[in-house]
Amino acid sequence: MNIKEISQTVIGRLPRYYRYLGELQKSGIERISSGALSKKMNVTASQIRQDLNNFGGFGQQGYGYNVAYLRSEIGKILGLDTEHNMIVMGAGNLGQALAKYSSFERSSFFVRGIFDNDPKHQGRTVRGIPVMMMDELEGFLSNNQIDIAALTIPKEAVSEVVERLVKNGVKAFLNFALVDLELPKDVIVENVHMSDSLMRLSYNMIQRKEN
Amino acid sequence: MNIKEISQTVIGRLPRYYRYLGELQKSGIERISSGALSKKMNVTASQIRQDLNNFGGFGQQGYGYNVAYLRSEIGKILGLDTEHNMIVMGAGNLGQALAKYSSFERSSFFVRGIFDNDPKHQGRTVRGIPVMMMDELEGFLSNNQIDIAALTIPKEAVSEVVERLVKNGVKAFLNFALVDLELPKDVIVENVHMSDSLMRLSYNMIQRKEN
């Protein structure tokens, strides 16, 4: 399957397909037409067909999509058929929220450790996940295959922490800090900038009032 | 200024300009060329000129941009020159993290209250912000002009809560719940779906390995 040329916009829609198909599966629905799926997801049927054709189709003309099969194929494309081990940098409210967030595990993302430099967190666990101190980081990384680090630390601390993580093999970041990471080419990042989301909301509020 | 036709992609980049210009201002830089700004932001200078031309320019050929002026104009476009009052639904870790998140206030977003239905939170405050029970919601909304509600509640509770909020005048949502909201046309939403971000990260990790 050649999926090298798929745009990030299409990729961005796949998690939503995956989520909807999971809900259909839970409701016992085995087969769905692109028309019915489009109604449920509030996108056009032709958009759905186009998106899924990027990956070779999956549907049979007139028969609709096999829900379980389509979901599992999209899961494979998204890499959800293998476990991903994560650590969370920062044991504050956001870090704890991430460690407790059960939706991650349903998609094969497992938080294996939380790191902080505040001794008040030492020895704590969050939902069974240990909070460790920063001087334990390198040791932990050499004993555990960690794919992803979520960054919930203050932006002033980010560049030093990221350098230590990259040096010890972490190649992917979920970045909540309000700073753009400077990273080697083989390291990837997804930013979750909540203030940016609020600003887009605010912009769209003005447009709504003006129209 | 006619800004009706600007694509959401351009809008999506404005918060980042706003952030960078704020940092330049803090470092005492008064004027910057699109070339220097582009180097700092890791986008092309022509992209920057194109983006800002959407709003009528701001730059003078050969003189670069006035940092403070450009930032303040982008702030106005994003609606950051007026205060936005927010409430946070859900007093769990994520809700508390949002209430404590000081970057919001720097962009004129103020959390005025937190709501939960768990009596254990009754009477608490988070950084001075009161946690109230759900039966106080309508009273609070009739006495306070609230623009935005952040949703950090379980997805099963979302539709009922959103209905109560919309009925009482809340017209914008920052949605962390893993569910697509069904909303009247004049209500807007920004989704912050952290599992979707992780899935995009996972997809891009596979691509990186294959290339």
Side-chain angles (χ1 to χ4, degrees):
Chain A
M1 202 186 305
N2 178 13
I3 48 174
K4 300 245 159 86
E5 308 293 326
I6 313 301
S7 78
Q8 288 289 324
T9 318
V10 176
I11 300 309
R13 283 195 286 264
L14 291 185
R16 197 159 163 255
Y17 286 116
Y18 186 78
R19 189 147 41 84
Y20 266 83
L21 291 163
E23 283 166 23
L24 290 173
Q25 227 180 343
K26 250 197 264 172
S27 333
I29 295 168
E30 291 179 5
R31 194 164 273 286
I32 191 164
S33 66
S34 53
L37 189 58
S38 96
K39 239 186 186 160
K40 211 173 147 54
M41 293 190 59
N42 203 19
V43 291
T44 67
S46 103
Q47 170 87 84
I48 289 184
R49 282 191 297 266
Q50 248 177 51
D51 282 353
L52 300 181
N53 276 338
N54 273 309
F55 305 96
F58 306 127
Q60 258 178 294
Q61 193 76 42
Y63 288 85
Y65 297 104
N66 176 316
V67 171
Y69 177 72
L70 180 56
R71 178 165 184 271
S72 124
E73 289 299 306
I74 291 179
K76 278 184 211 163
I77 291 164
L78 290 170
L80 310 181
D81 53 340
T82 48
E83 285 190 8
H84 294 286
N85 294 315
M86 287 175 69
I87 52 176
V88 173
M89 309 308 291
N93 286 116
L94 182 55
Q96 289 185 44
L98 292 176
K100 287 179 183 167
Y101 197 53
S102 59
S103 310
F104 286 165
E105 296 186 358
R106 279 200 296 277
S107 324
S108 304
F109 298 96
F110 295 88
V111 177
R112 303 301 187 189
I114 305 167
F115 287 86
D116 204 293
N117 61 7
D118 187 337
K120 83 172 177 201
H121 294 297
Q122 188 143 32
R124 284 194 185 168
T125 62
V126 176
R127 211 175 52 126
I129 301 161
V131 181
M132 290 164 276
M133 293 294 102
M134 283 302 287
D135 58 7
E136 303 171 79
L137 181 63
E138 279 78 5
F140 182 85
L141 290 174
S142 71
N143 290 318
N144 294 273
Q145 171 63 45
I146 299 297
D147 304 316
I148 302 171
L151 304 172
T152 72
I153 52 181
K155 67 178 178 178
E156 296 72 26
V158 162
S159 75
E160 191 214 316
V161 167
V162 165
E163 205 186 309
R164 284 171 67 182
L165 291 165
V166 170
K167 201 178 278 176
N168 288 278
V170 178
K171 293 288 179 72
F173 293 93
L174 188 64
N175 177 36
F176 291 85
L178 261 185
V179 60
D180 295 310
L181 305 184
E182 283 174 34
L183 294 167
K185 277 225 170 81
D186 62 334
V187 177
I188 53 179
V189 63
E190 273 283 329
N191 291 310
V192 184
H193 289 167
M194 297 183 289
S195 331
D196 290 12
S197 302
L198 270 183
M199 290 183 194
R200 282 192 298 271
L201 201 55
S202 159
Y203 172 83
N204 285 315
M205 285 162 75
I206 300 175
Q207 297 307 300
R208 189 197 57 200
K209 273 180 204 148
E210 285 180 356
N211 286 313
Chain B
M1 201 187 306
N2 178 13
I3 49 174
K4 299 246 160 86
E5 308 293 326
I6 314 298
S7 78
Q8 288 288 324
T9 319
V10 176
I11 300 309
R13 283 195 286 263
L14 292 185
R16 198 160 162 254
Y17 287 116
Y18 186 78
R19 190 147 41 85
Y20 266 82
L21 291 163
E23 282 166 24
L24 290 173
Q25 227 181 339
K26 250 197 263 173
S27 333
I29 294 168
E30 291 179 4
R31 196 163 273 285
I32 191 164
S33 66
S34 54
L37 189 59
S38 96
K39 238 186 188 162
K40 215 174 142 52
M41 293 190 59
N42 202 20
V43 293
T44 67
S46 102
Q47 170 88 84
I48 289 184
R49 282 193 297 267
Q50 247 179 53
D51 282 355
L52 300 181
N53 276 338
N54 273 309
F55 305 97
F58 307 127
Q60 258 179 293
Q61 194 77 40
Y63 288 86
Y65 298 103
N66 176 315
V67 171
Y69 177 72
L70 180 55
R71 179 164 185 270
S72 124
E73 289 300 305
I74 292 179
K76 279 185 210 160
I77 291 163
L78 290 171
L80 310 181
D81 53 338
T82 47
E83 285 191 6
H84 294 286
N85 294 317
M86 287 175 67
I87 52 175
V88 173
M89 309 308 289
N93 285 115
L94 182 56
Q96 290 185 43
L98 293 175
K100 287 180 183 168
Y101 197 53
S102 59
S103 310
F104 286 166
E105 295 185 0
R106 281 200 294 277
S107 324
S108 305
F109 298 96
F110 295 87
V111 177
R112 303 302 186 187
I114 305 167
F115 288 86
D116 205 292
N117 61 5
D118 186 337
K120 82 172 178 200
H121 294 297
Q122 189 143 30
R124 285 194 186 169
T125 62
V126 177
R127 210 175 50 126
I129 302 160
V131 181
M132 290 164 276
M133 294 293 102
M134 283 302 288
D135 57 7
E136 302 172 79
L137 181 63
E138 278 79 5
F140 183 86
L141 290 175
S142 70
N143 290 320
N144 295 272
Q145 172 63 45
I146 299 297
D147 304 315
I148 301 171
L151 304 172
T152 72
I153 52 181
K155 67 177 179 180
E156 296 72 27
V158 162
S159 75
E160 192 213 316
V161 167
V162 165
E163 204 185 310
R164 284 172 67 181
L165 291 165
V166 170
K167 201 178 279 175
N168 288 277
V170 178
K171 292 288 179 73
F173 293 93
L174 187 65
N175 177 36
F176 291 86
L178 261 184
V179 61
D180 295 310
L181 305 184
E182 284 175 33
L183 294 168
K185 277 225 171 79
D186 62 335
V187 177
I188 53 179
V189 62
E190 273 283 329
N191 291 309
V192 184
H193 289 166
M194 299 183 288
S195 331
D196 289 12
S197 302
L198 270 183
M199 289 184 195
R200 281 193 298 272
L201 200 56
S202 159
Y203 172 83
N204 286 315
M205 286 163 75
I206 300 175
Q207 297 307 300
R208 190 196 56 199
K209 274 181 203 149
E210 285 179 358
N211 287 314

